Amino acid sequence: MQYSIRHITKFEYDRSICESVMEVRVCPRTEATQHCYSHVLTVTPHAQLFSYQDFMGNVVHHFDLPGKHDRLELESRALVEVHPVPELPASLPPSAWDELESIVEHEDHLEMTLPSRFTFPSELSTSFAKELSIEKRDDPLSLLRELNSSIYHAFEYSPRSTHANSPIDDALRIRRGVCQDFAHIFITLVRGLGIPCRYVSGYLFHRTGADGDRSAEDGSHAWVEVFLPQLGWVGFDPTNNILAGERHIRAALGRDYADVPPTRGIFSGKARSALHVGVHVQEASFVPRVETMPEMARVVQGENLDYDGLLAAHQQQQQQQQ
């Protein structure tokens, strides 16, 4: 499936500030079953953008806005294609536990088995694990399918019931939260079994008229990936009780949210800030394929780029090749 993604982030300040320094992780990744054909990041007021790849291969844009300003707006637009994910078996053989232990011992996945800032075990998480009988039983895949469903049914999806820096105990205590909370709880319990598990930030395409998705349609999304023998990294979405697939668009990978917030920055000045975020993901059948449009497999950034013209050019060139 092909998608057009628009992600707007607005910071408003009650008085002018002197400087903003910020990192941005919103560019969809290009790898395996996903390809980002183009990405445009616009900063208002204008700032010079720089970019690099972090330790997980995420594209990170950063800038320093030195002049006085009372608002800051980031607009990210991307064209992405996501291919179908191979269908998983219903289960793995019980011997998969031994295979997994050997993989963790001999391959470079140790970091994703250790506690991190938002996935540190607590008394409440230990109690919840016992409640769900999360232990090495059956086979890893069957247990993970069960955990995905259990978290979905045990927690109410409730925006603003927690905040970006909430520890997992907040959601565990009230049994409510958002996708970030459910992902952190899942990771905490899975790493407790020695299974490599990582946090994924990105977007979820919501089908028009379809039921079942609890996550907000106008926001970014979070889910997890677990490394399993014979299968590699497999995506689980406990917020919606589904496996990650064609509708999941990956922007960044990390140990938890602390590694991959969409924006992270500081400003100089005494002011209160208000944050407004809007996300729109829609199907975009005009996105070209890699084999027919290899020159478009790139990332673009700037202030005065004609994005609508870029879309029109993609569509026209594809039609000419049909």
Side-chain angles (χ1 to χ4, degrees):
M1 295 181 69
Q2 299 85 34
Y3 303 102
S4 171
I5 305 168
R6 187 184 186 198
H7 184 167
I8 296 178
T9 306
K10 295 181 180 180
F11 297 89
E12 295 180 345
Y13 307 98
D14 63 357
R15 64 183 66 183
S16 293
I17 60 175
C18 301
E19 184 176 20
S20 294
V21 180
M22 186 164 291
E23 286 187 343
V24 185
R25 287 175 172 82
V26 294
C27 179
R29 295 170 63 98
T30 292
E31 59 191 352
T33 60
Q34 177 176 301
H35 190 93
C36 179
Y37 288 94
S38 63
H39 177 244
V40 178
L41 180 61
T42 305
V43 180
T44 306
H46 175 65
Q48 185 174 3
L49 284 166
F50 301 91
S51 64
Y52 67 94
Q53 285 190 317
D54 67 13
F55 76 107
M56 288 295 293
N58 305 311
V59 175
V60 184
H61 292 89
H62 61 102
F63 62 88
D64 182 351
L65 183 59
K68 283 189 174 183
H69 52 285
D70 58 13
R71 66 183 182 89
L72 175 61
E73 180 174 327
L74 311 174
E75 181 180 24
S76 169
R77 293 200 182 200
L79 299 175
V80 184
E81 182 168 26
V82 183
H83 296 282
V85 176
E87 186 174 352
L88 293 179
S91 62
L92 292 174
S95 59
W97 285 114
D98 294 331
E99 292 180 56
L100 187 58
E101 185 175 335
S102 177
I103 289 171
V104 172
E105 182 179 354
H106 296 98
E107 297 187 17
D108 189 22
H109 298 302
L110 178 62
E111 192 168 29
M112 295 303 170
T113 66
L114 301 175
S116 55
R117 176 178 172 183
F118 288 109
T119 64
F120 209 89
S122 66
E123 289 186 12
L124 286 178
S125 70
T126 301
S127 176
F128 186 59
K130 291 180 179 179
E131 177 185 329
L132 301 183
S133 298
I134 302 303
E135 57 188 24
K136 290 185 177 181
R137 55 180 171 80
D138 305 322
D139 69 275
L141 180 55
S142 296
L143 181 63
L144 293 169
R145 287 182 183 274
E146 181 182 318
L147 177 59
N148 203 47
S149 177
S150 295
I151 291 178
Y152 173 83
H153 291 291
F155 293 85
E156 175 187 348
Y157 182 82
S158 179
R160 293 178 294 278
S161 58
T162 57
H163 53 80
N165 292 317
S166 290
I168 57 173
D169 278 2
D170 286 0
L172 286 166
R173 189 175 295 110
I174 62 177
R175 296 297 172 101
R176 295 196 306 273
V178 293
C179 54
Q180 175 181 315
D181 302 305
F182 305 151
H184 284 156
I185 292 169
F186 191 112
I187 293 170
T188 302
L189 300 189
V190 170
R191 287 181 183 167
L193 298 176
I195 304 176
C197 190
R198 62 193 185 189
Y199 184 96
V200 188
S201 70
Y203 307 96
L204 177 67
F205 172 64
H206 293 252
R207 291 185 294 253
T208 302
D211 297 326
D213 293 338
R214 296 197 301 183
S215 51
E217 188 172 358
D218 61 348
S220 56
H221 190 45
W223 60 99
V224 306
E225 289 181 348
V226 182
F227 192 86
L228 293 173
Q230 307 170 34
L231 302 175
W233 290 103
V234 177
F236 293 85
D237 183 350
T239 302
N240 298 303
N241 193 21
I242 55 177
L243 297 177
E246 275 188 283
R247 296 193 295 128
H248 292 77
I249 304 157
R250 303 154 88 237
L253 307 174
R255 293 162 296 189
D256 59 26
Y257 174 78
D259 285 339
V260 294
T263 58
R264 174 192 285 131
I266 58 174
F267 65 82
S268 177
K270 294 182 179 180
R272 294 183 179 180
S273 63
L275 172 64
H276 307 279
V277 177
V279 171
H280 183 59
V281 181
Q282 63 181 10
E283 288 188 80
S285 60
F286 46 80
V287 174
R289 294 182 180 277
V290 176
E291 60 267 28
T292 59
M293 292 287 293
E295 70 276 12
M296 297 310 301
R298 59 194 179 94
V299 173
V300 189
Q301 64 181 42
E303 181 189 25
N304 297 313
L305 296 173
D306 180 5
Y307 185 79
D308 293 330
L310 182 64
L311 297 185
H314 284 184
Q315 186 174 21
Q316 181 181 11
Q317 291 183 43
Q318 187 187 38
Q319 290 172 345
Q320 289 173 351
Q321 294 180 0
Q322 290 178 342

